[in-house]
Amino acid sequence: MSKKLAKSLFLTSCMATLSMGGLSQSVLADDDTYFEFSGFVAADLRVFPNDAIQTGQEDQTLNSSLVLQPEMLYEWNGGDDRIEFNPFARLDSHDEERSHWDIRELNYLHINDGWDVVVGVDKVFWGVTESRHLVDVINQTDAVEDVDGEDKLGQPMINLGLQQDWGNINAFVLPYFRERTFAGIDGRLRGGLVVDTDQAVYESSREEKHVDYALRYSHVVGDWDLGASYFRGTSRDPRLVAGTDGSGNTVLIPHYDLIDRASIDVQATIEEWLWKLEAIYEHADNYDSFAAMTAGFEYSFFGAIDDVGDIGVLLEYHYDGRNDLAPATMFDDDIFVGTRLTLNDEDDTSFLGGVIYDPSSKATSFSVEAETRLSDFWSIELEGRMYQNIGEEELLYSSRDDDHIQLRLTRYF
């Protein structure tokens, strides 16, 4: 299929979705069978106040794109058996690498007494902290979507879960690895050198077919949510090593190492306080073992806005002990301070703003997210990021002029 035809089909699908009148389509065939079709289509507009500084980037101030994500759910046996299918597609106006599609979820779930099993492509999230999801290791980051690392690719897996009074255990077999996505030469929000994903290097001779394993224990004890995990397999976080492409241009080549990672995550809910901790210890043959952690709290002033809305204050500290040979990170010795506003209204209006500050270099990264519903079918979302005092030694130096604001208009169906 040509790119022109693919774009035409994508736009046709989006327009058809916009013309739909219902929030979702669901059918209850009988007491045991249920089908639902829902999802959303969205239009994104990014505004860059500063000119692009990297070679190959268009000198753009506006970047638009369309997103389509239908969601299909089929249940039978009273909900004990379920098939879920959630594809995703984006069409970007500038960056061909950002125009992509993915199967976020396509899996079969069976629930039994005290156990369940998921087979297929799924998304699994671990973690409790706000500014960095340190222990979240199952799914690969879809880095062309945003720079916050929260968008994930679907992961093929078998997930066996056991639920007992003494806690829950999940055992994962991950038979296929997903490479991280990166912005192309025309895209913004990228480093000074383009990442050449066609030259990806694997420590395993089986490359993306290496079978990874993970095990997780979780339990709620009073006010405490506890989690402990172990992962063995291909790192989702590649090392980027300088090399050349077929034309002799200098590029970055992703290297995917085999790692062993142990982690814990803890959250304590004590009245208005949420105390949070995520910590990992990682071993690899190609770089020194290291430990990393994120710890902090969120304090909520319930009913502080017109006796209904809530205000939350967040503070988190980041430590990362990896050396220069390990995958790079900006969270080596940083502080995050933020605030969350939740109006608890019928439009689900919310706001989250924060700043990540490096005390040694004074490098500062600001972020803001706000969203509200316009109706049963429409919502609007605003995101913004800004950088200050980004020196040459900082990981964000190549993106120092990529301050931007993004507006998203979403139509649900």
Side-chain angles (χ1 to χ4, degrees):
M1 182 184 296
S2 67
K3 289 185 177 179
K4 185 175 181 180
L5 178 58
K7 290 182 179 179
S8 177
L9 291 174
F10 181 84
L11 291 173
T12 301
S13 299
C14 291
M15 294 303 296
T17 301
L18 286 173
S19 66
M20 297 180 65
L23 184 62
S24 65
Q25 306 296 320
S26 60
V27 176
L28 186 62
D30 51 49
D31 291 340
D32 291 332
T33 304
Y34 175 80
F35 175 76
E36 181 180 72
F37 177 75
S38 59
F40 69 88
V41 59
D44 290 351
L45 179 64
R46 279 180 176 171
V47 180
F48 296 89
N50 302 320
D51 292 337
I53 61 175
Q54 305 301 339
T55 302
Q57 288 177 325
E58 295 184 19
D59 201 15
Q60 55 180 294
T61 57
L62 298 177
N63 189 99
S64 59
S65 61
L66 292 175
V67 175
L68 176 64
Q69 182 168 311
E71 300 174 1
M72 285 155 274
L73 174 67
Y74 178 67
E75 295 181 348
W76 68 100
N77 290 336
D80 288 343
D81 292 280
R82 183 182 73 188
I83 293 177
E84 193 168 4
F85 179 39
N86 298 334
F88 169 89
R90 178 184 292 277
L91 179 62
D92 191 79
S93 62
H94 287 91
D95 187 0
E96 290 189 359
E97 296 297 325
R98 197 165 186 250
S99 293
H100 71 300
W101 69 276
D102 181 47
I103 296 177
R104 299 304 204 210
E105 296 178 68
L106 176 55
N107 59 73
Y108 164 70
L109 166 68
H110 174 71
I111 302 174
N112 211 312
D113 186 17
W115 65 275
D116 58 60
V117 63
V118 176
V119 179
V121 178
D122 201 5
K123 291 173 65 177
V124 175
F125 174 76
W126 299 344
V128 294
T129 56
E130 180 66 43
S131 55
R132 186 187 189 190
H133 306 308
L134 187 61
V135 305
D136 192 32
V137 71
I138 295 294
N139 292 83
Q140 177 61 274
T141 299
D142 192 355
V144 296
E145 284 299 299
D146 208 339
V147 297
D148 57 10
E150 294 189 354
D151 296 280
K152 300 292 182 176
L153 300 173
Q155 172 61 49
M157 69 175 67
I158 300 173
N159 174 8
L160 175 62
L162 304 176
Q163 299 85 38
Q164 301 294 327
D165 293 338
W166 42 263
N168 300 331
I169 292 180
N170 286 86
F172 298 85
V173 179
L174 312 171
Y176 189 83
F177 175 77
R178 304 293 308 279
E179 292 184 12
R180 182 170 295 190
T181 59
F182 292 94
I185 190 170
D186 296 326
R188 298 196 65 163
L189 301 180
R190 69 165 176 86
L193 297 175
V194 175
V195 179
D196 188 351
T197 55
D198 293 334
Q199 296 193 70
V201 175
Y202 290 85
E203 181 180 350
S204 170
S205 60
R206 293 181 57 82
E207 298 185 339
E208 70 274 10
K209 296 179 182 178
H210 182 273
V211 180
D212 302 338
Y213 303 94
L215 185 67
R216 178 170 175 82
Y217 169 78
S218 60
H219 193 34
V220 178
V221 181
D223 297 330
W224 297 78
D225 291 274
L226 309 174
S229 311
Y230 173 75
F231 172 86
R232 179 177 178 82
T234 304
S235 175
R236 274 54 179 158
D237 193 7
R239 292 181 295 118
L240 300 179
V241 180
T244 56
D245 62 13
S247 301
N249 301 312
T250 302
V251 295
L252 294 176
I253 299 174
H255 285 238
Y256 292 99
D257 301 292
L258 294 175
I259 65 169
D260 292 272
R261 173 185 286 190
S263 66
I264 60 171
D265 53 277
V266 179
Q267 177 171 284
T269 306
I270 303 174
E271 296 181 344
E272 290 85 5
W273 295 88
L274 287 178
W275 295 94
K276 308 179 181 186
L277 168 69
E278 295 187 26
I280 66 170
Y281 179 80
E282 181 171 305
H283 169 77
D285 291 337
N286 293 326
Y287 51 86
D288 291 341
S289 301
F290 69 89
M293 61 160 281
T294 299
F297 66 82
E298 179 174 355
Y299 183 85
S300 296
F301 298 90
F302 295 111
I305 305 175
D306 295 332
D307 295 327
V308 178
D310 306 327
I311 299 176
V313 178
L314 301 93
L315 177 65
E316 295 176 352
Y317 170 70
H318 304 284
Y319 165 80
D320 200 299
R322 70 187 71 192
N323 60 22
D324 294 337
L325 297 178
T329 179
M330 61 174 286
F331 298 103
D332 55 347
D333 183 22
D334 295 3
I335 298 172
F336 168 77
V337 179
T339 185
R340 187 198 315 272
L341 307 180
T342 306
L343 296 188
N344 297 321
D345 58 353
E346 62 180 10
D347 296 324
D348 294 327
T349 304
S350 63
F351 169 90
L352 175 64
V355 56
I356 297 176
Y357 175 72
D358 188 327
S360 59
S361 68
K362 314 302 181 186
T364 308
S365 172
F366 300 89
S367 65
V368 60
E369 302 174 9
E371 61 180 324
T372 189
R373 281 188 174 272
L374 302 177
S375 69
D376 288 341
F377 309 128
W378 295 90
S379 72
I380 191 168
E381 182 178 352
L382 178 70
E383 292 187 7
R385 301 189 189 279
M386 184 176 67
Y387 309 103
Q388 287 186 353
N389 302 322
I390 308 298
E392 294 184 13
E393 74 284 357
E394 295 292 331
L395 188 62
L396 290 173
Y397 180 72
S398 299
S399 304
R400 62 192 180 278
D401 284 345
D402 280 342
D403 299 348
H404 64 278
I405 295 175
Q406 175 173 293
L407 185 68
R408 166 174 284 196
L409 182 64
T410 302
R411 171 64 156 85
Y412 298 93
F413 57 90

